[in-house]
Amino acid sequence: MADGIYVSMCGAVARAEQLDAVADNLANAQTPGFKAARPAFESFLAPGAAQDKRYAAAVATGIDLRPGPTQRTGNALDVVPEAGMFLTVRTAGGGTAYTRDGRLTLDPDRRLVSDGRPLLSPRGEPIVLPPDLEARVDAAGRVWAGDVEVAALGLARLDGPVDRVGPSLLAPGAGGRALPAEGAVRSGELELGNAGALEASIQLVSAQRAYEASLQAIQTYRQLDQRAVEVARVK
């Protein structure tokens, strides 16, 4: 019976990881720029175990880069990069990361920021606007202060694996890279998370039921083991 318990335990662990990912997707369904996590599962034969049993495991969690739905805001500093491109930002640690969270604002130093992180130009420099002038971003990704062009948004395309380093913040993973790109943006709009609330809710219920089934299987195998021990004692 021990093999059955181990198979069920592996299934429960894999489903627990799926539950964490789906719950995070559901919680961020309306978060601008959020990209859903998609766990990948694999079955395997355990060394030395019975060869008629397969064990499950969550082997990787990929990030779904498909665009999410957009929402019209009319704000001149809300942007959606076209063609799946990402805005380039500087992290608190001084590194570079990428986001589609287009809620741009000006910090006290008049730097253009996304969620508090400075936006970078194609040259990798923070975009600073002069005082007392209204800021806007045009369709070509150029940043204006009044009638003066200040800089352009640094846009990039992510190629290969990516890692999430914040709720709406990504960085190239092992073997991945960020390629500088030129392109357009849509002003006055925001892109929301690409995990639909209905889809994530259905996945959450399905994963929860599968997790509970694995726990029930573990309990059943334990009861069978206990009965086998009691029968052996009687004999």
Side-chain angles (χ1 to χ4, degrees), residues 155-169:
L155 299 175
R157 194 179 306 278
L158 299 183
D159 180 54
V162 297
D163 294 329
R164 179 178 290 136
V165 294
S168 299
L169 205 60

Side-chain angles (χ1 to χ4, degrees), residues 75-86:
N75 187 333
L77 286 181
D78 287 342
V79 298
V80 176
E82 296 274 28
M85 291 183 293
F86 287 77

Side-chain angles (χ1 to χ4, degrees), residues 131-227:
D132 304 323
L133 292 176
E134 185 177 356
R136 61 183 176 88
V137 179
D138 67 16
R142 295 172 299 191
V143 181
W144 296 78
D147 296 328
V148 179
E149 181 181 346
V150 176
L153 297 176
L155 299 175
R157 194 179 306 278
L158 299 183
D159 180 54
V162 297
D163 294 329
R164 179 178 290 136
V165 294
S168 299
L169 205 60
L170 303 176
R177 55 182 181 166
L179 304 174
E182 294 183 0
V185 300
R186 299 200 307 274
S187 299
E189 297 182 37
L190 286 177
E191 179 183 284
L192 304 180
N194 65 350
L198 178 58
E199 172 195 11
S201 297
I202 293 172
Q203 291 176 347
L204 189 65
V205 171
S206 176
Q208 180 67 37
R209 288 176 177 173
Y211 177 73
E212 292 173 352
S214 294
L215 294 184
Q216 183 60 50
I218 293 172
Q219 185 63 28
T220 300
Y221 279 117
R222 284 177 174 171
Q223 291 174 353
L224 291 174
D225 278 347
Q226 184 62 36
R227 290 178 183 175

